[in-house]
Amino acid sequence: MERDASAAGTVAHATTAEDAPPGGMSLAAVALHVGDLPKSVTFYRALLGLRESDLGTPTAALLFNDDGFQLYLRAVGHRAPHPLGAIGVQCVVWSASDVHELRRCEEWLKAHRAYAQTMTSDDITWVEGRDPNHLPVMVTYPRPGLAVHHRILSRIYAL
């Protein structure tokens, strides 16, 4: 890796793919196993403003937004287990584009009896609810890059 001096300090330049520092990455897609596909499609479309692709099947759906993010929903039946506390993703946290969108999500969750709580830490507000499969769903504002956490939220230990 070559080093370059600049007014902002020392900057590293990757010379091979293996040397490349992480950066510029963003989450492209999430796949969720669900019990009731139509109910889950309706929930995520309404809460997050996602659109449904015409690529769906009787057991899977693809939702997406204008930024290209994709949410895959796959029906695995109501009896499929999801052990909270086990290895694997425990919840997905979404970010609202502005405080009005965050409040819309909060009110939508309340109106649909899916609301759990709202909390603020390090100037980041979290709205938490449960999806039709009783999985935690969280929406935050501001988006990453506009605010920084200064500590790990205690809430993650209760997931």
Side-chain angles (χ1 to χ4, degrees), residues 60-85:
L62 171 59
L63 307 179
F64 63 95
N65 69 11
D66 290 338
D67 293 330
F69 178 80
Q70 299 173 338
L71 175 61
Y72 291 87
L73 300 174
R74 180 174 167 235
V76 294
H78 292 286
R79 295 182 180 218
H82 184 272
L84 288 176

Side-chain angles (χ1 to χ4, degrees), residues 6-28:
S6 71
T10 303
V11 178
H13 296 283
T15 55
T16 67
E18 292 80 26
D19 291 336
M25 301 297 285
S26 63
L27 188 62

Side-chain angles (χ1 to χ4, degrees):
M1 190 177 298
E2 298 173 11
R3 301 239 174 232
D4 219 340
S6 71
T10 303
V11 178
H13 296 283
T15 55
T16 67
E18 292 80 26
D19 291 336
M25 301 297 285
S26 63
L27 188 62
V30 169
L32 290 178
H33 287 184
V34 300
D36 185 319
L37 185 61
K39 198 179 267 189
S40 297
V41 167
T42 299
F43 177 89
Y44 284 104
R45 284 187 67 183
L47 178 66
L48 303 176
L50 301 175
R51 295 193 308 272
E52 186 174 3
S53 163
D54 59 2
L55 300 176
T57 70
T59 59
L62 171 59
L63 307 179
F64 63 95
N65 69 11
D66 290 338
D67 293 330
F69 178 80
Q70 299 173 338
L71 175 61
Y72 291 87
L73 300 174
R74 180 174 167 235
V76 294
H78 292 286
R79 295 182 180 218
H82 184 272
L84 288 176
I87 292 175
V89 175
Q90 298 301 305
C91 106
V92 177
V93 180
W94 310 90
S95 61
S97 57
D98 57 42
V99 71
H100 302 293
E101 183 65 8
L102 180 69
R103 294 296 169 226
R104 185 200 64 80
C105 291
E106 180 180 43
E107 293 306 316
W108 191 92
L109 288 166
K110 287 177 179 177
H112 290 85
R113 305 173 102 184
Y115 175 79
Q117 64 180 331
T118 299
M119 59 197 139
T120 300
S121 175
D122 292 334
D123 296 326
I124 299 171
T125 301
W126 300 64
V127 173
E128 181 179 351
R130 296 279 183 219
D131 79 357
N133 307 285
H134 307 288
L135 297 174
V137 58
M138 295 183 189
V139 181
T140 67
Y141 182 78
R143 292 180 166 207
L146 298 179
V148 178
H149 280 288
H150 299 285
R151 64 180 174 272
I152 293 177
L153 294 177
S154 60
R155 178 66 186 99
I156 69 151
Y157 296 104
L159 292 174

